[in-house]
Amino acid sequence: MKKQIALILASAGLAVAATFTGTITDDMCAKADHKDMKMGTDEKCVTECIKGMNGKYVLYDGKDTYVLSDQKGPAKFAAKKVTVTGTLDAATKTIRVDKIEAAK
């Protein structure tokens, strides 16, 4: 529900921080199974795609992916479930990250 409110307000031009929960992954494998890449663990696959293929960290909520404005902080959460607090730009599907923490 918070995400829907944030989307409505963002599309109206108002910036409101919201929380988004999902898994930190990369834009190369976002919705795919990392096992297909044969790189070992999901964490290793995400890390290798970011470093070796100039990928970007994204948040995957099980349905949609959102690019994260912070491309350094997510590194320690690669392939882990997190809660991101920030403002969504609905047009670019980018979250301006204020905070990332392990999901409870």
Side-chain angles (χ1 to χ4, degrees):
M1 182 66 175
K2 288 180 184 180
K3 186 170 33 171
Q4 292 171 335
I5 292 170
L7 285 170
I8 292 167
L9 293 174
S11 64
L14 302 172
V16 174
T19 58
F20 306 87
T21 300
T23 303
I24 296 293
T25 188
D26 60 274
D27 61 345
M28 306 286 289
C29 299
K31 298 176 185 176
D33 187 342
H34 294 278
K35 291 175 187 164
D36 293 339
M37 297 299 288
K38 298 179 180 22
M39 289 188 187
T41 65
D42 289 350
E43 181 179 356
K44 183 175 180 187
C45 183
V46 171
T47 302
E48 291 299 317
C49 284
I50 297 297
K51 289 180 182 177
M53 302 199 180
N54 296 322
K56 291 188 177 185
Y57 286 109
V58 297
L59 180 75
Y60 177 57
D61 69 2
K63 180 180 174 191
D64 295 308
T65 58
Y66 302 95
V67 175
L68 301 170
S69 65
D70 176 1
Q71 287 294 301
K72 293 183 182 177
K76 66 181 176 184
F77 296 107
K80 296 188 174 41
K81 191 168 182 179
V82 299
T83 299
V84 175
T85 302
T87 306
L88 175 65
D89 179 335
T92 63
K93 292 186 81 173
T94 300
I95 299 172
R96 185 181 54 78
V97 177
D98 293 328
K99 178 173 64 171
I100 301 175
E101 56 190 359
K104 297 176 184 175

